[in-house]
Amino acid sequence: MAILISNNLLDDVAIMLNYTAAERAEDISVDRRIRIMIENGIARLRSSAPDLTAADFEKEGRARELLFNYCRYADSNALEMFGVNYAAEILALRLDYEVRSAENENQEQS
């Protein structure tokens, strides 16, 4: 399943990674590289919390923050450290997912 990335999310990640509009306009591969980082980050976070939606990455919250940090680590070629340094946050995201799933099941049974 293809991951749709909004222009707003792409722009926010580019800003967070300190890419200027001039750099992005000058080298079209910059946006492609950022899109790949975002796609990989979303896929990785969804492996812990499968019900994450595109909206979860658009609004402030744990999923967006983790995605931004994933992209920062990817941009620095240090992805092997992301899981180590953010293990607690990834676990918390997973627990949020479990709670949300349980709440949805309870609502469906009511």
Side-chain angles (χ1 to χ4, degrees):
M1 181 173 146
I3 297 172
L4 297 176
I5 299 168
S6 74
N7 287 332
N8 287 337
L9 182 59
L10 178 67
D11 291 343
D12 289 349
V13 171
I15 289 166
M16 187 268 312
L17 295 175
N18 293 316
Y19 286 103
T20 65
E23 289 172 317
R24 292 173 66 197
E26 207 172 275
D27 184 354
I28 59 170
S29 68
V30 171
D31 275 4
R32 180 67 188 129
R33 185 169 178 263
I34 294 169
R35 280 186 187 280
I36 290 168
M37 285 186 270
I38 293 170
E39 289 169 355
N40 290 342
I42 288 173
R44 180 157 180 180
L45 295 172
R46 282 184 175 162
S47 71
S48 293
D51 73 336
L52 288 172
T53 66
D56 292 317
F57 299 105
E58 294 288 340
K59 64 184 179 191
E60 294 300 319
R62 189 183 317 273
R64 181 179 170 96
E65 181 181 336
L66 280 168
L67 176 62
F68 277 28
N69 285 312
Y70 177 93
C71 291
R72 184 170 54 86
Y73 275 67
D75 191 53
S76 299
N77 294 317
L79 275 178
E80 67 279 358
M81 296 307 299
F82 174 77
V84 172
N85 292 339
Y86 287 91
E89 286 295 315
I90 294 168
L91 178 59
L93 181 72
R94 175 70 182 177
L95 292 174
D96 289 346
Y97 161 74
E98 295 292 336
V99 168
R100 192 156 70 178
S101 292
E103 288 172 350
N104 289 342
E105 282 182 29
N106 287 338
Q107 288 177 355
E108 289 173 5
Q109 291 176 357
S110 297

